[in-house]
Amino acid sequence: MKKILLVALLALLMPGLLPAQTTDYKVVFDLTSRDTLDHNSVIRWLNEVTTANPNAQVEVVMYGQGFNMVVKGRSTVADAVERLAANKNVAFKVCAVAMRSNHITPDQLLPGVQVVPDGIYEIISKQRAGWGYIKAVH
């Protein structure tokens, strides 16, 4: 009888002891590199996250030279970017300051890519909202 009570008590307490994975999965990737190895890594991570958790929200913020990942004719991952950008839970955002500094116009970006006024502020805003942060480097 004591064993049954102990097992029942453990069964009731167990959910509180195990970490719950019911919280939102939100992560922002910080990309400043023109290196295509970094671009390929970001695409691989996005595919892994969205496959493992289709409800996960992911965002890639590009500034510095990171915008090359989403510029027509420069991107080596254009097909993957367009496919992923069609997912409502995936966003690619480019810093307007970096675009102006490099004479890039919105019409040069791949379909589905958004422009934000300031890439660093975009990342900080996501972090304040509880999003995880990953710096994309290899």
Side-chain angles (χ1 to χ4, degrees):
M1 183 68 171
K2 288 183 181 181
K3 286 185 180 181
I4 292 173
L5 287 174
L6 180 61
V7 169
L9 182 61
L10 285 174
L12 290 173
L13 294 176
M14 192 62 77
L17 298 175
L18 296 175
Q21 292 195 7
T22 58
T23 58
D24 293 337
Y25 191 151
K26 299 177 183 176
V27 64
V28 59
F29 294 91
D30 174 349
L31 179 66
T32 59
S33 170
R34 74 171 64 201
D35 191 327
T36 59
L37 290 175
D38 293 331
H39 300 177
N40 285 316
S41 293
V42 169
I43 294 298
R44 184 178 66 251
W45 298 331
L46 294 176
N47 284 324
E48 290 168 355
V49 168
T50 56
T51 299
N53 186 338
N55 294 319
Q57 293 181 301
V58 292
E59 182 173 304
V60 181
V61 177
M62 294 152 278
Y63 60 100
Q65 294 296 310
F67 63 83
N68 283 301
M69 179 178 175
V70 295
V71 173
K72 296 173 189 172
R74 293 188 195 177
S75 177
T76 60
V77 292
D79 291 340
V81 168
E82 289 185 42
R83 178 182 50 76
L84 285 161
N87 180 333
K88 66 179 177 58
N89 292 333
V90 178
F92 292 89
K93 297 187 177 178
V94 181
C95 175
V97 175
M99 289 177 60
R100 273 192 307 274
S101 297
N102 291 278
H103 310 289
I104 302 295
T105 58
D107 63 311
Q108 292 176 274
L109 301 176
L110 296 170
V113 175
Q114 302 166 39
V115 178
V116 294
D118 182 341
I120 294 171
Y121 185 76
E122 177 71 15
I123 291 168
I124 292 168
S125 297
K126 292 297 181 190
Q127 288 179 298
R128 283 187 184 145
W131 286 53
Y133 169 84
I134 302 294
K135 175 65 178 169
V137 293
H138 66 277

PDB file of all heavy atoms in Angstrom, residues 58-78:
ATOM      1  N   VAL A  58      10.782  32.503 -36.042  1.00  0.00           N
ATOM      2  CA  VAL A  58      12.194  32.811 -36.241  1.00  0.00           C
ATOM      3  C   VAL A  58      12.325  34.029 -37.140  1.00  0.00           C
ATOM      4  O   VAL A  58      11.507  34.266 -38.021  1.00  0.00           O
ATOM      5  CB  VAL A  58      12.965  31.607 -36.838  1.00  0.00           C
ATOM      6  CG1 VAL A  58      13.059  30.472 -35.839  1.00  0.00           C
ATOM      7  CG2 VAL A  58      12.340  31.117 -38.115  1.00  0.00           C
ATOM      8  N   GLU A  59      13.364  34.803 -36.862  1.00  0.00           N
ATOM      9  CA  GLU A  59      13.619  36.015 -37.632  1.00  0.00           C
ATOM     10  C   GLU A  59      15.115  36.155 -37.838  1.00  0.00           C
ATOM     11  O   GLU A  59      15.891  35.925 -36.920  1.00  0.00           O
ATOM     12  CB  GLU A  59      13.075  37.216 -36.857  1.00  0.00           C
ATOM     13  CG  GLU A  59      13.227  38.531 -37.578  1.00  0.00           C
ATOM     14  CD  GLU A  59      12.512  39.654 -36.842  1.00  0.00           C
ATOM     15  OE1 GLU A  59      11.295  39.537 -36.600  1.00  0.00           O
ATOM     16  OE2 GLU A  59      13.191  40.650 -36.525  1.00  0.00           O
ATOM     17  N   VAL A  60      15.501  36.487 -39.067  1.00  0.00           N
ATOM     18  CA  VAL A  60      16.894  36.772 -39.382  1.00  0.00           C
ATOM     19  C   VAL A  60      16.994  38.271 -39.612  1.00  0.00           C
ATOM     20  O   VAL A  60      16.303  38.817 -40.479  1.00  0.00           O
ATOM     21  CB  VAL A  60      17.362  36.010 -40.642  1.00  0.00           C
ATOM     22  CG1 VAL A  60      18.825  36.311 -40.933  1.00  0.00           C
ATOM     23  CG2 VAL A  60      17.120  34.515 -40.498  1.00  0.00           C
ATOM     24  N   VAL A  61      17.841  38.926 -38.819  1.00  0.00           N
ATOM     25  CA  VAL A  61      18.051  40.369 -38.977  1.00  0.00           C
ATOM     26  C   VAL A  61      19.441  40.562 -39.561  1.00  0.00           C
ATOM     27  O   VAL A  61      20.435  40.082 -39.009  1.00  0.00           O
ATOM     28  CB  VAL A  61      17.907  41.115 -37.630  1.00  0.00           C
ATOM     29  CG1 VAL A  61      18.196  42.599 -37.820  1.00  0.00           C
ATOM     30  CG2 VAL A  61      16.515  40.904 -37.050  1.00  0.00           C
ATOM     31  N   MET A  62      19.501  41.255 -40.689  1.00  0.00           N
ATOM     32  CA  MET A  62      20.753  41.460 -41.397  1.00  0.00           C
ATOM     33  C   MET A  62      21.137  42.937 -41.403  1.00  0.00           C
ATOM     34  O   MET A  62      20.322  43.787 -41.742  1.00  0.00           O
ATOM     35  CB  MET A  62      20.606  40.957 -42.834  1.00  0.00           C
ATOM     36  CG  MET A  62      20.412  39.455 -42.916  1.00  0.00           C
ATOM     37  SD  MET A  62      19.480  38.944 -44.380  1.00  0.00           S
ATOM     38  CE  MET A  62      17.806  39.220 -43.842  1.00  0.00           C
ATOM     39  N   TYR A  63      22.362  43.192 -41.022  1.00  0.00           N
ATOM     40  CA  TYR A  63      22.948  44.533 -41.115  1.00  0.00           C
ATOM     41  C   TYR A  63      24.426  44.339 -41.404  1.00  0.00           C
ATOM     42  O   TYR A  63      24.865  43.214 -41.652  1.00  0.00           O
ATOM     43  CB  TYR A  63      22.660  45.372 -39.863  1.00  0.00           C
ATOM     44  CG  TYR A  63      23.189  44.816 -38.567  1.00  0.00           C
ATOM     45  CD1 TYR A  63      24.360  45.296 -38.005  1.00  0.00           C
ATOM     46  CD2 TYR A  63      22.508  43.801 -37.898  1.00  0.00           C
ATOM     47  CE1 TYR A  63      24.843  44.796 -36.806  1.00  0.00           C
ATOM     48  CE2 TYR A  63      22.980  43.296 -36.700  1.00  0.00           C
ATOM     49  CZ  TYR A  63      24.151  43.791 -36.167  1.00  0.00           C
ATOM     50  OH  TYR A  63      24.620  43.296 -34.982  1.00  0.00           O
ATOM     51  N   GLY A  64      25.211  45.403 -41.416  1.00  0.00           N
ATOM     52  CA  GLY A  64      26.605  45.251 -41.850  1.00  0.00           C
ATOM     53  C   GLY A  64      26.609  44.776 -43.294  1.00  0.00           C
ATOM     54  O   GLY A  64      25.996  45.400 -44.146  1.00  0.00           O
ATOM     55  N   GLN A  65      27.258  43.659 -43.543  1.00  0.00           N
ATOM     56  CA  GLN A  65      27.275  43.073 -44.889  1.00  0.00           C
ATOM     57  C   GLN A  65      26.352  41.857 -44.999  1.00  0.00           C
ATOM     58  O   GLN A  65      26.351  41.155 -46.009  1.00  0.00           O
ATOM     59  CB  GLN A  65      28.701  42.682 -45.270  1.00  0.00           C
ATOM     60  CG  GLN A  65      29.638  43.864 -45.417  1.00  0.00           C
ATOM     61  CD  GLN A  65      29.225  44.776 -46.554  1.00  0.00           C
ATOM     62  OE1 GLN A  65      28.980  44.326 -47.669  1.00  0.00           O
ATOM     63  NE2 GLN A  65      29.134  46.062 -46.278  1.00  0.00           N
ATOM     64  N   GLY A  66      25.568  41.601 -43.965  1.00  0.00           N
ATOM     65  CA  GLY A  66      24.677  40.445 -43.966  1.00  0.00           C
ATOM     66  C   GLY A  66      23.604  40.486 -45.030  1.00  0.00           C
ATOM     67  O   GLY A  66      23.077  39.452 -45.443  1.00  0.00           O
ATOM     68  N   PHE A  67      23.271  41.683 -45.507  1.00  0.00           N
ATOM     69  CA  PHE A  67      22.207  41.832 -46.496  1.00  0.00           C
ATOM     70  C   PHE A  67      22.490  41.076 -47.789  1.00  0.00           C
ATOM     71  O   PHE A  67      21.576  40.773 -48.549  1.00  0.00           O
ATOM     72  CB  PHE A  67      21.949  43.317 -46.795  1.00  0.00           C
ATOM     73  CG  PHE A  67      23.123  44.012 -47.413  1.00  0.00           C
ATOM     74  CD1 PHE A  67      23.362  43.942 -48.766  1.00  0.00           C
ATOM     75  CD2 PHE A  67      23.997  44.742 -46.614  1.00  0.00           C
ATOM     76  CE1 PHE A  67      24.458  44.576 -49.335  1.00  0.00           C
ATOM     77  CE2 PHE A  67      25.082  45.380 -47.166  1.00  0.00           C
ATOM     78  CZ  PHE A  67      25.323  45.292 -48.536  1.00  0.00           C
ATOM     79  N   ASN A  68      23.756  40.747 -48.058  1.00  0.00           N
ATOM     80  CA  ASN A  68      24.083  40.014 -49.288  1.00  0.00           C
ATOM     81  C   ASN A  68      23.341  38.686 -49.377  1.00  0.00           C
ATOM     82  O   ASN A  68      23.136  38.157 -50.465  1.00  0.00           O
ATOM     83  CB  ASN A  68      25.593  39.782 -49.391  1.00  0.00           C
ATOM     84  CG  ASN A  68      26.317  41.024 -49.828  1.00  0.00           C
ATOM     85  OD1 ASN A  68      26.054  41.564 -50.892  1.00  0.00           O
ATOM     86  ND2 ASN A  68      27.216  41.506 -48.988  1.00  0.00           N
ATOM     87  N   MET A  69      22.906  38.158 -48.244  1.00  0.00           N
ATOM     88  CA  MET A  69      22.159  36.910 -48.237  1.00  0.00           C
ATOM     89  C   MET A  69      20.822  37.036 -48.963  1.00  0.00           C
ATOM     90  O   MET A  69      20.298  36.046 -49.464  1.00  0.00           O
ATOM     91  CB  MET A  69      21.927  36.472 -46.785  1.00  0.00           C
ATOM     92  CG  MET A  69      21.148  35.191 -46.636  1.00  0.00           C
ATOM     93  SD  MET A  69      21.000  34.783 -44.885  1.00  0.00           S
ATOM     94  CE  MET A  69      19.943  33.382 -44.964  1.00  0.00           C
ATOM     95  N   VAL A  70      20.272  38.247 -49.035  1.00  0.00           N
ATOM     96  CA  VAL A  70      18.926  38.422 -49.584  1.00  0.00           C
ATOM     97  C   VAL A  70      18.862  39.382 -50.778  1.00  0.00           C
ATOM     98  O   VAL A  70      17.783  39.841 -51.137  1.00  0.00           O
ATOM     99  CB  VAL A  70      17.944  38.857 -48.475  1.00  0.00           C
ATOM    100  CG1 VAL A  70      17.779  37.764 -47.426  1.00  0.00           C
ATOM    101  CG2 VAL A  70      18.378  40.163 -47.833  1.00  0.00           C
ATOM    102  N   VAL A  71      19.999  39.666 -51.389  1.00  0.00           N
ATOM    103  CA  VAL A  71      20.011  40.551 -52.558  1.00  0.00           C
ATOM    104  C   VAL A  71      19.992  39.692 -53.824  1.00  0.00           C
ATOM    105  O   VAL A  71      20.787  38.759 -53.969  1.00  0.00           O
ATOM    106  CB  VAL A  71      21.255  41.473 -52.544  1.00  0.00           C
ATOM    107  CG1 VAL A  71      21.359  42.263 -53.847  1.00  0.00           C
ATOM    108  CG2 VAL A  71      21.194  42.421 -51.356  1.00  0.00           C
ATOM    109  N   LYS A  72      19.065  40.034 -54.718  1.00  0.00           N
ATOM    110  CA  LYS A  72      18.953  39.314 -55.991  1.00  0.00           C
ATOM    111  C   LYS A  72      20.297  39.353 -56.719  1.00  0.00           C
ATOM    112  O   LYS A  72      20.948  40.386 -56.772  1.00  0.00           O
ATOM    113  CB  LYS A  72      17.892  39.961 -56.879  1.00  0.00           C
ATOM    114  CG  LYS A  72      16.497  39.899 -56.347  1.00  0.00           C
ATOM    115  CD  LYS A  72      15.548  40.723 -57.224  1.00  0.00           C
ATOM    116  CE  LYS A  72      14.188  40.861 -56.600  1.00  0.00           C
ATOM    117  NZ  LYS A  72      13.332  41.799 -57.350  1.00  0.00           N
ATOM    118  N   GLY A  73      20.703  38.224 -57.260  1.00  0.00           N
ATOM    119  CA  GLY A  73      21.943  38.145 -58.017  1.00  0.00           C
ATOM    120  C   GLY A  73      23.189  37.984 -57.166  1.00  0.00           C
ATOM    121  O   GLY A  73      24.255  37.697 -57.684  1.00  0.00           O
ATOM    122  N   ARG A  74      23.086  38.186 -55.862  1.00  0.00           N
ATOM    123  CA  ARG A  74      24.229  38.014 -54.955  1.00  0.00           C
ATOM    124  C   ARG A  74      24.056  36.817 -54.031  1.00  0.00           C
ATOM    125  O   ARG A  74      25.033  36.230 -53.588  1.00  0.00           O
ATOM    126  CB  ARG A  74      24.424  39.252 -54.080  1.00  0.00           C
ATOM    127  CG  ARG A  74      24.845  40.484 -54.820  1.00  0.00           C
ATOM    128  CD  ARG A  74      25.192  41.576 -53.830  1.00  0.00           C
ATOM    129  NE  ARG A  74      25.268  42.868 -54.475  1.00  0.00           N
ATOM    130  CZ  ARG A  74      25.504  43.996 -53.842  1.00  0.00           C
ATOM    131  NH1 ARG A  74      25.683  43.997 -52.543  1.00  0.00           N
ATOM    132  NH2 ARG A  74      25.553  45.129 -54.503  1.00  0.00           N
ATOM    133  N   SER A  75      22.818  36.502 -53.713  1.00  0.00           N
ATOM    134  CA  SER A  75      22.538  35.451 -52.745  1.00  0.00           C
ATOM    135  C   SER A  75      22.820  34.070 -53.315  1.00  0.00           C
ATOM    136  O   SER A  75      22.406  33.756 -54.431  1.00  0.00           O
ATOM    137  CB  SER A  75      21.074  35.520 -52.307  1.00  0.00           C
ATOM    138  OG  SER A  75      20.779  34.460 -51.424  1.00  0.00           O
ATOM    139  N   THR A  76      23.520  33.262 -52.524  1.00  0.00           N
ATOM    140  CA  THR A  76      23.760  31.867 -52.919  1.00  0.00           C
ATOM    141  C   THR A  76      22.685  30.951 -52.330  1.00  0.00           C
ATOM    142  O   THR A  76      22.698  29.752 -52.603  1.00  0.00           O
ATOM    143  CB  THR A  76      25.151  31.387 -52.437  1.00  0.00           C
ATOM    144  OG1 THR A  76      25.202  31.492 -51.009  1.00  0.00           O
ATOM    145  CG2 THR A  76      26.259  32.195 -53.082  1.00  0.00           C
ATOM    146  N   VAL A  77      21.777  31.525 -51.547  1.00  0.00           N
ATOM    147  CA  VAL A  77      20.707  30.746 -50.910  1.00  0.00           C
ATOM    148  C   VAL A  77      19.334  31.330 -51.256  1.00  0.00           C
ATOM    149  O   VAL A  77      18.377  31.179 -50.495  1.00  0.00           O
ATOM    150  CB  VAL A  77      20.919  30.672 -49.375  1.00  0.00           C
ATOM    151  CG1 VAL A  77      22.132  29.843 -49.023  1.00  0.00           C
ATOM    152  CG2 VAL A  77      21.015  32.071 -48.770  1.00  0.00           C
ATOM    153  N   ALA A  78      19.231  31.966 -52.407  1.00  0.00           N
ATOM    154  CA  ALA A  78      18.007  32.676 -52.788  1.00  0.00           C
ATOM    155  C   ALA A  78      16.778  31.771 -52.776  1.00  0.00           C
ATOM    156  O   ALA A  78      15.725  32.162 -52.245  1.00  0.00           O
ATOM    157  CB  ALA A  78      18.177  33.320 -54.161  1.00  0.00           C
TER     158      ALA A  78
END
